[in-house]
Amino acid sequence: MVIDYFEPTTVSETVSLLAKYGDDASVIAGGQSLLVMMRQRLVSPKYLISLKKVGELNGVQEDASGNLSIGAATTHRDAFTSPVLRRGVPLLCQAASKVGSTAIRNLGTIGGNICHNELGADPPQALLALNAKAVCVGATGERTIPLEKFFTGYFETAMNPGEVLKMIEIPSPPPGTVGVYLKHALRAGDLAIVGVAVLLGLETPSKKCREIRIGLGGVASVPLRAYKAEQLLQGSVIGADVVNEAAYVAMSEVDPVSDTHGSADYRRKMVGVFLKRAIRQAADAASKPGSDV
Ligand SMILES: Cc1cc2nc3c(=O)[nH]c(=O)nc-3n(C[C@H](O)[C@H](O)[C@H](O)COP(=O)(O)OP(=O)(O)OC[C@H]3O[C@@H](n4cnc5c(N)ncnc54)[C@H](O)[C@@H]3O)c2cc1C
């Protein structure tokens, strides 16, 4: 089959091409997931619209208040090596650094990752814990979708046909918060059996939790926030009992499937194990003034 390949240079040109070719067209960013799907004949686009030359989709911007925007076509490597992101949202850098292998991080993009929405991807749960939003552009204009409403099911998102993800916006995290991302996979380079992202802020010296956000991945049809566990921790003095209880609550908030990497029961247990570890690490770091993980 012959595939026509386009290299637009603007978002509006990209959207026009998508409108023209409809369901026969697909945008391609790093190609790390799309080309696998094409090789497996799961999708067979007749028109490929590359995002490589769309300058607007690349790079990281920070405003005067520390709010960040990340172009959708920013690669995982560029994300985790970005000095701006390392300073502002080290939690996302940790997650991006755990994606697949060096080759995949060099080519795969943050935008492609969340649009593909594969079970066990790493950046989504970090972005959820950072209250990120997806900015999409279509023929009728631009709209912003909070990330917790963006993921709608396995390989599905709230984006409409013909829309392009332009960027991911991240509000400046509350001062003094610490981020920890932990990934549990059987082998290096695998998708996560469980991915846990924690953003934590403590009052000192009381260790009372003043900010807690928990993102979980690999353990339900969509990456999710563990709101009930967060509620339990918010305002509590962080110690072994409350952390154990929060881990137990988080295990009840997930709905994992069994597959060749692990049973549903195992994944649920690993949520508890890795959440406890992540909270402890974040709490240790947050207790040290001026430190960040
Ligand atoms: C062997 C292997 C191991 C991997 N391991 C991991 C891992 O451990 N953790 C992890 O998180 N990920 C992993 N991945 C996935 C990797 O992160 C991919 O980079 C990512 O899923 C897709 O990014 P991409 O830029 O390559 O997107 P592409 O493959 O180009 O596109 C993927 C999908 O998203 C759509 N798309 C892309 N960009 C946009 C946009 N801006 N707007 C609208 N639609 C868009 C495409 O049309 C396509 O449907 C792995 C992939 C492979 C092949």
Side-chain angles (χ1 to χ4, degrees), residues 2-271:
V2 178
I3 297 172
D4 282 334
Y5 184 77
F6 298 93
E7 289 189 323
T9 52
T10 63
V11 170
S12 65
E13 206 186 327
T14 309
V15 169
S16 300
L17 285 165
L18 278 173
K20 184 171 177 191
Y21 295 112
D23 290 346
D24 288 332
S26 180
V27 297
I28 178 163
Q32 296 306 289
S33 299
L34 183 64
L35 294 177
V36 175
M37 305 261 286
M38 288 172 67
R39 260 200 309 272
Q40 293 172 345
R41 301 279 189 269
L42 294 170
V43 292
S44 308
K46 290 184 188 149
Y47 305 95
L48 280 181
I49 304 166
S50 169
L51 302 180
K52 272 274 172 297
K53 294 193 174 160
V54 185
E56 296 157 80
L57 298 181
N58 268 295
V60 174
Q61 309 288 333
E62 183 181 32
D63 72 13
S65 310
N67 302 310
L68 297 158
S69 64
I70 305 171
T74 303
T75 62
H76 302 295
R77 182 181 186 281
D78 285 348
F80 84 80
T81 56
S82 156
V84 176
L85 295 184
R86 285 192 166 206
R87 179 170 35 80
V89 284
L91 174 59
L92 177 63
C93 300
Q94 291 173 49
S97 74
K98 301 238 165 83
V99 169
S101 60
T102 305
I104 287 160
R105 291 190 294 269
N106 284 348
L107 290 168
T109 65
I110 297 277
N113 188 285
I114 71 164
C115 289
H116 188 57
N117 190 19
E118 185 167 12
L119 182 74
D122 295 289
Q125 41 275 21
L127 290 167
L128 280 169
L130 291 165
N131 280 346
K133 293 176 188 154
V135 180
C136 309
V137 184
T140 54
E142 193 169 298
R143 67 189 179 115
T144 300
I145 310 170
L147 225 61
E148 56 190 286
K149 297 209 168 114
F150 184 83
F151 304 109
T152 53
Y154 294 109
F155 298 103
E156 284 182 3
T157 71
M159 283 176 66
N160 292 325
E163 279 186 321
V164 177
L165 177 69
K166 186 176 164 191
M167 62 184 160
I168 298 157
E169 292 181 338
I170 305 179
S172 177
T177 47
V178 163
V180 170
Y181 181 69
L182 296 183
K183 171 175 185 169
H184 176 43
L186 292 184
R187 295 167 307 187
D190 279 0
L191 288 154
I193 290 177
V194 174
V196 175
V198 164
L199 190 83
L200 177 76
L202 295 181
E203 285 173 13
T204 46
S206 69
K207 284 202 173 183
K208 198 186 261 189
C209 175
R210 62 176 165 78
E211 184 75 40
I212 176 75
R213 301 188 209 147
I214 300 168
L216 300 174
V219 286
S221 58
V222 290
L224 54 100
R225 282 281 289 273
Y227 284 116
K228 290 183 186 161
E230 291 178 9
Q231 228 172 350
L232 191 101
L233 291 162
Q234 186 74 43
S236 301
V237 174
I238 296 297
D241 287 350
V242 74
V243 172
N244 284 340
E245 207 182 328
Y248 192 70
V249 169
M251 285 164 63
S252 74
E253 293 188 78
V254 300
D255 184 19
V257 285
S258 295
D259 63 13
T260 47
H261 300 289
S263 67
D265 192 39
Y266 176 71
R267 283 176 196 259
R268 195 185 299 279
K269 283 187 182 137
M270 290 305 107
V271 167

